[in-house]
Each structure stands twice: as C-alpha cells, then as structure tokens.
Amino acid sequence: MNPQAKLLSITSLFLGSTITITSSHWIMAWTGLEINTLAILPLISKSHHPRAIEAATKYFLVQAAASALLLFSSMTNAWYTGQWDITQLTHPTSCLLLTTAISIKLGLVPFHFWFPEILQGTSLTTGLLLATVLKFPPITLLLLTSPSLNPTLLTAMAVASAALGGWAGLNQTQTRKIL
C-alpha cells in the first residue's frame, strides 16, 4: 500500500474517532462513525486476497446496517422529543434501537458472528485496529447514553458476551480468532 494512502487512512481513523467521541449532536457522531468505516476499508483489503476482499465487504455491510440503525434511532428520538443532543435520548423505541446499533458495532453477543470472520481475513495490525481503536467511539456513545438505556439488557449482553467468548475460545484453534 502506498505510504501516503496508509497515512491518510490512519489519520482518517483517528479523525473519525475524535469526531464521534467529542460530538454532542447525533449527526456529527454518525459522521464520525462513517468516516471510521470508510477509512478502515482500504486497510482491510490492502492485500488483494479473496479473503481480505470478503472481510472488507462483510465489514462494510455490517457497519452500514448498524450506522443506518443508529441514524434511524436518533431520527426517531428527534421526531418524538425534538432533541438531537446525544444525552437527551428519552424515547423508549429510540433507546432500544440505539442499544441494538451499538451492540452490532461492538460485536456483542447477539450480533457477534461478523467479528471473528472479519478478523480472520485481515492482517494482525488491521485486526488490532479493528479490535481496539474502532471500539472507542461506540463505547463512548454507549456511555453517553447509558442513563437512558436499559441496564438489565446491557448487563445481560455483557455477561453473555463474556461467557460465550470464553466458552467459544476453549474450542478455537486459530489464535487470531481467540485474540
């Protein structure tokens, strides 16, 4: 990969994460998440192997669906409450849709099947970026909206993710998927 293109992709990753983390408006948070999605795609598909192209396609489709769900959640909240502020998420349907969208983006247990498959098709460095840097913006949105979200549902998803991740890791022979 061209060094300038790689630098542009990595800079865009940090820019998108910064925009999402520092935003107080849903549209800006969504914009940052979309910048992240578009910035990681060249890094995932930089080796022109069919598995890498498949991983990039899967990643794009899953993240686009989750972003659309997040945007729909924020628009529903704005429709009913008139607020586009991230901390003013009060409508119950919006809270449930946002929880689903963030769970998909983070790869939590009901929506986790895409993540190991994508990690399998990437290099270790790109997998590290996917597993760390790209998780900060959704976690930040989750923390900003946590007073409005259902704590029982979040706790159940966290416990299920930890339990299933540990249990599935015992039967896994590929180190990249365990990481």
Side-chain angles (χ1 to χ4, degrees):
M1 177 177 243
N2 188 355
Q4 287 86 11
K6 191 173 187 177
L7 178 67
L8 180 65
S9 291
I10 292 174
T11 305
S12 296
L13 279 176
F14 288 110
L15 175 69
S17 295
T18 304
I19 288 172
T20 302
I21 289 170
T22 60
S23 65
S24 62
H25 195 276
W26 278 113
I27 298 296
M28 288 305 295
W30 174 77
T31 303
L33 292 171
E34 288 301 311
I35 290 172
N36 276 347
T37 300
L38 294 176
I40 196 71
L41 289 175
L43 295 176
I44 293 173
S45 61
K46 71 180 171 187
S47 68
H48 297 291
H49 191 272
R51 184 171 276 181
I53 303 302
E54 178 185 352
T57 305
K58 284 181 182 178
Y59 183 79
F60 175 74
L61 291 174
V62 168
Q63 293 300 312
S67 291
L69 199 58
L70 185 132
L71 192 60
F72 182 65
S73 167
S74 62
M75 286 182 1
T76 304
N77 188 58
W79 180 270
Y80 285 107
T81 64
Q83 294 290 325
W84 281 96
D85 190 26
I86 289 177
T87 59
Q88 300 298 323
L89 188 71
T90 57
H91 194 263
T93 304
S94 297
C95 293
L96 185 62
L97 289 172
L98 180 74
T99 303
T100 304
I102 290 178
S103 298
I104 293 170
K105 283 202 164 285
L106 290 173
L108 293 180
V109 150
F111 312 105
H112 70 288
F113 291 110
W114 63 271
F115 195 62
E117 295 299 322
I118 289 171
L119 286 181
Q120 191 62 31
T122 63
S123 66
L124 285 176
T125 307
T126 307
L128 179 68
L129 283 173
L130 284 170
T132 56
V133 175
L134 292 179
K135 300 298 180 199
F136 289 137
I139 288 174
T140 303
L141 291 177
L142 187 69
L143 289 174
L144 285 173
T145 58
S146 63
S148 303
L149 302 178
N150 186 352
T152 308
L153 179 62
L154 291 176
T155 303
M157 287 173 29
V159 169
S161 291
L164 187 66
W167 186 44
L170 292 173
N171 196 26
Q172 187 58 251
T173 58
Q174 297 173 339
T175 308
R176 189 177 299 173
K177 285 187 177 181
I178 293 173
L179 292 175

